[in-house]
Amino acid sequence: MSELNDPYAERIHQARSHLEATRAAIARAEQDLADHNVTARSRDRAVEVTIGPQGELSGLTFLDNKYLSMTGPQLAASVLEAAQRGRQQVAQRVMDTFRPLMAANPDVPGSRDIDIDWDRLFGSAFEGGRRVGGGRPSNDRLRDEIHEDPDVPGGRP
């Protein structure tokens, strides 16, 4: 029996081809992500940050001199909020890029999708956008604590 007529040899060939295509797609995705930065602003539009491809803060801009009328805790909360938004965007882009590459190989019987625990991988990158216990996002709790602390000058009582 010729190797070209062997159904197992054909399946192995297809599986190897799929593996090589997946490796090439992963390499392209890694390169694309390595060159990608995100710019995010705080809701009050006082702060703009640039987040690098690995979630690092690589730029910080105070917009329209709004920081001049802000207390230190308000400015800190705006910086943290903008950085959180940027990190969330980077994490989402990574997930959107790699999720299709984690699909099961159709040429391998019994293969399954690769399951990645994105929460564990990105940790706090998504905490700011989640509802915690049905309440407001957790970064709002930080903002509330900063603004409502009566011991902080300029904080709200």
Side-chain angles (χ1 to χ4, degrees), residues 37-142:
N37 290 310
V38 167
T39 300
R41 288 187 178 180
S42 59
R43 278 183 296 214
D44 60 15
R45 306 192 65 74
V47 176
E48 181 177 271
V49 298
T50 302
I51 304 295
Q54 294 181 329
E56 73 278 10
L57 181 65
S58 61
L60 174 64
T61 304
F62 300 114
L63 303 171
D64 301 325
N65 291 325
K66 290 181 181 181
Y67 71 94
L68 294 172
S69 63
M70 299 173 82
T71 65
Q74 288 171 325
L75 181 58
S78 291
V79 170
L80 291 174
E81 177 194 339
Q84 179 64 23
R85 285 175 173 227
R87 289 181 62 231
Q88 190 173 16
Q89 290 175 25
V90 168
Q92 188 65 51
R93 179 169 169 112
V94 169
M95 287 176 20
D96 292 346
T97 299
F98 280 100
R99 192 172 277 133
L101 301 175
M102 303 297 119
N105 183 339
D107 299 313
V108 177
S111 69
R112 298 182 305 218
D113 290 352
I114 297 171
D115 188 29
I116 295 178
D117 185 350
W118 297 109
D119 290 332
R120 186 169 156 233
L121 182 64
F122 290 114
S124 66
F126 287 115
E127 288 176 7
R130 280 206 192 103
R131 300 275 176 195
V132 178
R136 294 186 309 193
S138 62
N139 64 344
D140 283 343
R141 288 184 310 173
L142 174 63

